[in-house]
Amino acid sequence: MRIATWNVNSINARLETVLRWFEAERPDVACLQEIKCVDEKFPAEAFERLGYNVAVHGQKTYNGVALLSRTPLEDVSRGLPGDETDDQSRFIEAVVSGPRPVRVASIYLPNGNPLGTEKFDYKLAWMERLHRHAAELLRLEEPLALMGDYNVIPGPLDAANPGEWTGDALFQPESRAALRTLLWLGLTDAWTEVGEGPGGFTFWDYQAGAWPKNNGIRIDHALLSPQAADRLLSCRIDRAPRGWEKPSDHTPLIIQLN
C-alpha cells in the first residue's frame, strides 16, 4: 500500500498538475491539504474516473483537507476533536478498507504566524488537541498513519538555511517541542526511519528563487503507529511536481507499507 500526502495549494487552481501526478504515480491512498474549496466544489468526479473513493472536509477560500482511496473509506470523521468552536477545516480521518485495513488522517496543521498573536496560540492549542486524539487512536492498537502538512520544521537539518527561520512559527522551540511530544507517544517519523536523510525537503517558497536554489524545508510528515511502522518499507519525496508548470509550493511525500 502506497500512501501519499500533498499540500496542493488549491485543488481547482492546480487540478491539471495534480491529475497529471495521480495518473503517473497511482497512489493507493492520498491525503490532500489546503484544497481551498467547499465540499461541493471539490472535483471529485475527476478522481472517481481514476478509480478513487473521495472524502472531503472543505472550506471556502482557505484550508480544507481530503482523503482519496482506491478501496472504500469507512468510519469517516471530519474535524479534529477537542474544540467544538473550531470551524477551520484541517482534519479528516477514515479507515482504508481491505485485507489489512489502515486508519489514515489528512492533517493541515495551523501555520501560526505571526508570532505573538492568537494565531500562534491557536497553533499550539491545535497541536495539543492532536496529541490527545493521537493518544486515543494509539489505544486501538491498529495501523495508523497521520499524514500531512504539519507546518513544523523538526530540526536544523530539516532546513537548507535554518537561520532564516528563527523568527518563524514553523521553527519555534514550542512548535518543535510539541511535535517531539507527539512522537514520544510512540509514533514513528517515516522519513527519519527510512528516508534519504538530510535535504529531504517538501516545501520551497515561491519567493527569492527558493526552488532553483533548493532553499527548502521539511514540514510534511508521515507519523506512524507501531503497527504501521512495522510494515514500513520506504518513504520518499517526489520532487518532480515542484518543477512543473503552475506548481504547489509543496511536493508529495509517499510511504509504502507491506
Side-chain angles (χ1 to χ4, degrees):
M1 178 184 288
R2 288 180 303 129
I3 309 175
T5 181
W6 191 6
N7 179 321
V8 295
N9 193 11
S10 181
I11 185 64
N12 287 302
R14 306 186 203 285
L15 182 58
E16 184 176 337
T17 298
V18 175
L19 289 176
R20 174 185 171 185
W21 184 81
F22 268 78
E23 289 168 355
E25 186 66 29
R26 300 281 179 174
D28 298 297
V29 183
C31 307
L32 304 183
Q33 301 89 41
E34 211 172 354
I35 59 173
K36 295 184 178 179
C37 66
V38 295
D39 295 11
E40 295 78 14
K41 295 295 184 180
F42 187 88
E45 186 176 331
F47 292 96
E48 290 167 351
R49 285 197 297 266
L50 294 178
Y52 287 94
N53 298 275
V54 179
V56 181
H57 182 39
Q59 184 175 339
K60 185 177 181 181
T61 309
Y62 302 102
N63 306 323
V65 286
L67 285 171
L68 295 84
S69 172
R70 290 189 169 279
T71 58
L73 292 166
E74 302 174 349
D75 194 22
V76 177
S77 177
R78 295 170 173 84
L80 182 65
D83 184 356
E84 294 181 357
T85 67
D86 186 2
D87 59 359
Q88 297 192 29
S89 300
R90 295 181 174 274
F91 186 92
I92 187 169
E93 171 192 321
V95 174
V96 177
S97 65
R100 303 185 73 181
V102 178
R103 185 177 297 273
V104 179
S106 180
I107 295 168
Y108 180 41
L109 206 143
N111 178 283
N113 284 302
L115 293 175
T117 70
E118 69 280 359
K119 291 185 177 181
F120 189 60
D121 294 336
Y122 174 65
K123 179 188 186 82
L124 297 180
W126 205 95
M127 295 186 78
E128 174 59 29
R129 287 165 53 201
L130 179 61
H131 182 278
R132 293 197 300 268
H133 185 56
E136 293 178 0
L137 294 179
L138 285 169
R139 293 189 188 100
L140 300 175
E141 297 187 351
E142 63 185 10
L144 167 70
L146 301 175
M147 314 277 292
D149 175 3
Y150 279 72
N151 269 316
V152 179
I153 305 168
L157 295 179
D158 299 298
N161 295 294
E164 295 181 358
W165 297 91
T166 55
D168 195 284
L170 278 63
F171 200 49
Q172 292 306 293
E174 298 93 334
S175 307
R176 294 162 60 190
L179 181 62
R180 286 195 301 272
T181 302
L182 187 61
L183 289 165
W184 289 341
L185 286 172
L187 295 167
T188 294
D189 180 337
W191 180 260
T192 301
E193 188 75 6
V194 297
E196 298 170 7
F201 307 137
T202 61
F203 171 92
W204 298 261
D205 197 275
Y206 290 127
Q207 307 299 318
W211 167 246
K213 294 176 183 176
N214 196 30
N215 186 9
I217 53 177
R218 185 172 76 94
I219 57 175
D220 301 88
H221 308 305
L223 305 188
L224 308 179
S225 70
Q227 294 78 14
D230 286 345
R231 294 169 52 185
L232 179 63
L233 297 177
S234 65
C235 179
R236 65 184 178 90
I237 295 166
D238 187 353
R239 292 168 54 99
R242 184 59 179 85
W244 293 349
E245 185 177 353
K246 204 173 181 181
S248 169
D249 42 9
H250 295 250
T251 208
L253 173 77
I254 309 107
I255 64 169
Q256 183 170 348
L257 306 181
N258 67 17

